[in-house]
Amino acid sequence: MSDILVKIRDLHFSRGNRKIFDGISLDIPRRGVTAIMGPSGTGKTTLLKLIGGQLRPDQGSIEVDGLNVHQLSTRKLFELRQRMGMLFQSGALLTDLSVFENVAYPLREHTKLSDAMIRHLVLLKLNAVGLRGAADLMPSELSGGMSRRVALARAIALDPMMIMYDEPFTGQDPISMGVLVSLISELNSALDICSIVVSHDVPDTLSISDHVHFISAGKIVESGSPETLQNSKSAWTHQFIHGDADGPVPFHYPANPILDDLYQEGK
Amino acid sequence: MFGNLIDKIQHLGVVTLGSFQRLGRAGVFLLEVIASCTDLLVKPTLLVKQMFSVGVQTLIIIVVAGLFVGMVMALQSYYALVDFGAEDSVGVMVSLSLLRELGPVVTALLFAGRAGSALTAEIGLMKATEQLSGMEMMAVNPMRRIVAPRFMAGVISMPLLATIFSAVGVLGAYVVAVQLLGLDSGAFWSQPQNKVDLYEDIYNGLIKSLVFGLIASWIAVFEGYDCIPTSEGLGQATTRTVVYSSLAILFMDFILTALMFSK
C-alpha cells in the first residue's frame, strides 16, 4: 500500500475567466495532518471539493487511494466517499434531524446495523467529541463550535481513511478553537488516518500539522514541515506567517496611479 | 450609437442562450428526478413525511378557498340564470365549472403559492447551508433523499387536493343555493347526477390536476436546487417558482382544455 493517499498532478481549474489552479501538483501522505494554507479566495475549499469529486478539474488528475476520482462512475465515487469524511465550514448538519440522528444518518444509509448497535456507535462517536449529553438537541440549539463537533462525529461515523476539514477554526471563540484544535490532533492520532486541514489560521494550524502546503495565485508557493516553513527565506511565506500588511501580496488592489484617477474625476 | 445597438443585441443573445440552457438543465433535472423516484419504493416513509408537509399542510387553504369559490359561483350563476327561469341548473353549472376548470386550476395556483414556494425555499436553504453538499460527501444522493420525495409528494397530492377543492366547492354552492336562496334540493343534486360524466368531466379534471402537479412540483424543486445560494438568490428563486408555475399552469390548462373538450 502506497504511503501517498492523495496524489494531485498538473491540476487546472477555472471559474469563468478566473484561474483558480494553474497546474498544481502535490502529494498528501496516508497518515498525519496535512495543512493546505493560503489567503482567502485562493481556492482552498475548491481543492477539497475537487478531491471529493464534487467539482471536475479542467485538466490534470486527482487520485485518492489509487483511484482517479474524476474517472469513477457515480456508484464507485459514492463508494469512495464512504471512506472519506468531510467537515464543512458551516457544519452542514441536517436541520430537521436531532444531533443523534445526524450522526446516525450515514450509518443508517450505508449499513444494515441494528438500532441498538447504531445507538452504541453514535453515542461513542458523540462521546469522542464531548457531546454525548447533547444527543437529543436539535442543530438550531447548538453553538457554532458544537455544530462543528457534531459534524466531526458524523464525519467519523463510518471510520473513514481520511477527513477533510474546511476552515474548521473560522469564527470560533478561544475555548471552542482550543477544543477543535486538540480534537483534530487527537482524533488523527487515535484513528491513525489522513487529515487534510484547509485554513488560514496560521498558529493553530501549524501547531497540529505534520506537512504544510502554501497556495497562492493558483500555484503552490512552498511546502514542507511547519518548522521549515517558519524559518523560510521566502518573502511571501514570511508575510503570510507573520500577517504583514504589505509585501509580495500588496496592500493595494491593482489600480491606475492615484493622480490619474483623481485628475479624471475632476475633469 | 451602433456600439450601443450591438451591445443590446449581444445582451439579447446572451439572455436567450441562457434561457435555453436553463430549460435544457431543467429537462435533464426532471429525468434525473423521475429516475430517482425508484428509491421511494424502498423507503416509502420519505414520501409519507413529504405528503404531510406538501399535501396535508396545504389542505386548510384549499378547503377554505374551495368553499368560498363554490359559494360565489352559486351566487353569480343564480343571478344570471334566474332571469331565464333556469336557476335549477345552478348545481350542474357549479359542478362542471369546478370539476373541469376551477378545481384543478385554482388548486394548482394555490399549491404553487403555498407548497411550491416552500419547497423552493427549503431546498435552496439546504443548498446555501451546504446540507446538500454534506449529503453528497456522505455518499448520499440528495436527488434521491431530498428532491425525489418532495417532487413525488407534490404530484400525488395535487389530484387529491383538487378533488377536495371541488367537493367542498359543490357543498359551498349547495349551502348558498339551497339554504340561502331557497333552490330545491332535489333539483340541485339531480342535474349534476345526470349531466356530469365520469370520463369526460371527472377523469379529465384529474388528469389536468396531475399534469399541473407535475409542472408545479418540477418548477419548485428545480428552482430550489438551481438557485444561487445567497439570500438574494433564494428570494429570486422563490419568486420565480410562483410566477413560472402560475404561467405554466394557465398555459397548460388552455392546451389540455383544447385537447380534451374540443368536439
Side-chain angles (χ1 to χ4, degrees):
Chain A
M1 199 192 298
S2 163
D3 283 344
I4 304 298
L5 184 66
V6 181
K7 194 186 279 184
I8 299 174
R9 291 290 175 271
D10 191 30
L11 181 71
H12 290 258
F13 183 78
S14 305
R15 278 190 197 279
N17 294 326
R18 189 168 159 247
K19 195 107 186 151
I20 309 280
F21 295 120
D22 191 10
I24 66 166
S25 297
L26 64 90
D27 291 332
I28 296 174
R30 189 172 286 276
R31 289 188 176 77
V33 179
T34 300
I36 313 275
M37 306 188 76
S40 299
T42 43
K44 303 184 294 294
T45 303
T46 305
L47 184 63
L48 292 189
K49 290 192 169 176
L50 283 160
I51 294 173
Q54 287 188 298
L55 294 174
R56 186 166 279 278
D58 302 333
Q59 194 185 318
S61 68
I62 298 177
E63 281 184 20
V64 175
D65 201 23
L67 299 169
N68 189 326
V69 175
H70 301 97
Q71 287 182 354
L72 295 175
S73 63
T74 308
R75 194 173 60 85
K76 291 277 181 196
L77 178 63
F78 274 33
E79 279 174 16
L80 179 65
R81 281 183 186 161
Q82 287 183 39
R83 296 190 287 140
M84 295 171 156
M86 180 147 173
L87 182 74
F88 285 85
Q89 196 174 342
S90 60
L93 297 178
L94 299 169
T95 44
D96 57 337
L97 300 180
S98 67
V99 165
F100 181 94
E101 285 303 327
N102 261 287
V103 181
Y105 192 78
L107 295 166
R108 293 197 199 284
E109 284 290 332
H110 298 303
T111 68
K112 291 195 167 82
L113 296 172
S114 65
D115 280 351
M117 181 60 85
I118 286 178
R119 185 169 179 278
H120 277 108
L121 284 172
V122 171
L123 290 180
L124 285 173
K125 303 292 177 191
L126 281 173
N127 199 50
V129 297
L131 289 177
R132 185 166 42 85
D136 294 329
L137 297 182
M138 294 303 284
S140 57
E141 297 172 280
L142 303 176
S143 68
M146 287 166 81
S147 292
R148 283 183 209 183
R149 282 153 70 189
V150 173
L152 184 51
R154 188 178 67 178
I156 58 171
L158 291 172
D159 295 326
M161 63 182 174
M162 65 187 280
I163 304 178
M164 296 185 277
Y165 298 88
D166 182 13
E167 304 278 9
F169 312 125
T170 305
Q172 297 300 303
D173 65 68
I175 299 173
S176 299
M177 176 101 96
V179 169
L180 282 167
V181 169
S182 61
L183 262 178
I184 292 172
S185 177
E186 284 167 17
L187 279 175
N188 188 76
S189 309
L191 303 172
D192 195 22
I193 55 174
C194 164
S195 297
I196 305 173
V197 182
V198 149
S199 176
H200 45 55
D201 186 277
V202 176
D204 288 302
T205 310
L206 290 187
S207 72
I208 54 168
S209 303
D210 299 301
H211 322 274
V212 183
H213 299 280
F214 283 142
I215 302 181
S216 180
K219 302 266 188 199
I220 303 262
V221 177
E222 204 169 357
S223 300
S225 66
E227 296 76 28
T228 319
L229 294 176
Q230 270 165 333
N231 299 320
S232 167
K233 298 272 187 295
S234 156
W236 189 95
T237 305
H238 186 275
Q239 186 189 5
F240 186 75
I241 287 181
H242 295 92
D244 300 337
D246 209 352
V249 182
F251 172 71
H252 286 288
Y253 191 80
N256 296 325
I258 187 165
L259 282 178
D260 289 0
D261 277 355
L262 293 174
Y263 177 66
Q264 273 186 352
E265 202 173 313
K267 248 182 4 183
Chain B
M1 187 190 145
F2 278 116
N4 199 10
L5 189 66
I6 288 170
D7 279 353
K8 280 185 178 161
I9 293 172
Q10 202 174 22
H11 178 70
L12 185 69
V14 169
V15 170
T16 311
L17 280 178
S19 304
F20 278 109
Q21 272 179 357
R22 199 149 192 273
L23 195 62
R25 255 197 340 267
V28 173
F29 179 85
L30 178 64
L31 294 179
E32 278 183 54
V33 173
I34 291 170
S36 303
C37 285
T38 49
D39 261 29
L40 298 175
L41 298 172
V42 187
K43 292 202 171 186
T45 46
L46 287 172
L47 181 62
V48 172
K49 201 175 157 192
Q50 291 309 318
M51 289 279 291
F52 177 77
S53 66
V54 171
V56 177
Q57 291 189 335
T58 313
L59 205 53
I60 289 181
I61 189 173
I62 295 294
V63 167
V64 174
L67 189 70
F68 284 117
V69 167
M71 289 165 82
V72 170
M73 287 277 300
L75 274 180
Q76 291 284 15
S77 47
Y78 178 84
Y79 293 138
L81 294 171
V82 75
D83 290 345
F84 307 101
E87 65 270 27
D88 285 351
S89 300
V90 166
V92 71
M93 189 169 170
V94 172
S95 305
L96 285 178
S97 306
L98 282 169
L99 288 169
R100 287 181 171 196
E101 287 298 330
L102 289 173
V105 173
V106 178
T107 305
L109 293 176
L110 291 171
F111 179 88
R114 157 63 185 81
S117 56
L119 283 179
T120 303
E122 188 187 11
I123 295 175
L125 201 60
M126 289 183 88
K127 185 178 180 182
T129 53
E130 296 184 306
Q131 292 181 54
L132 299 182
S133 288
M135 290 182 91
E136 281 178 7
M137 284 309 297
M138 282 191 283
V140 176
N141 189 346
M143 280 298 222
R144 292 175 182 273
R145 291 290 179 269
I146 302 294
V147 178
R150 284 161 177 77
F151 170 78
M152 195 43 85
V155 174
I156 296 172
S157 298
M158 187 74 86
L160 300 175
L161 290 171
T163 307
I164 292 168
F165 182 97
S166 299
V168 174
V170 172
L171 283 178
Y174 171 81
V175 170
V176 169
V178 176
Q179 306 293 332
L180 295 182
L181 300 172
L183 217 66
D184 180 57
S185 172
F188 181 89
W189 289 118
S190 65
Q191 286 210 19
Q193 233 172 345
N194 292 330
K195 300 272 183 182
V196 174
D197 185 70
L198 180 66
Y199 293 96
E200 192 165 343
D201 302 318
I202 295 179
Y203 285 177
N204 277 343
L206 284 175
I207 291 169
K208 270 189 179 182
S209 57
L210 195 69
V211 173
F212 297 159
L214 191 139
I215 291 171
S217 307
W218 172 29
I219 292 174
V221 292
F222 175 72
E223 288 293 348
Y225 204 79
D226 198 56
C227 78
I228 300 165
T230 58
S231 47
E232 192 191 2
L234 196 54
Q236 287 171 347
T238 314
T239 308
R240 276 199 305 270
T241 292
V242 178
V243 174
Y244 290 173
S245 301
S246 305
L247 293 177
I249 286 161
L250 293 171
F251 173 73
M252 277 310 290
D253 185 45
F254 171 71
I255 302 287
L256 289 173
T257 305
L259 289 173
M260 287 170 173
F261 300 106
S262 59
K263 297 285 181 190

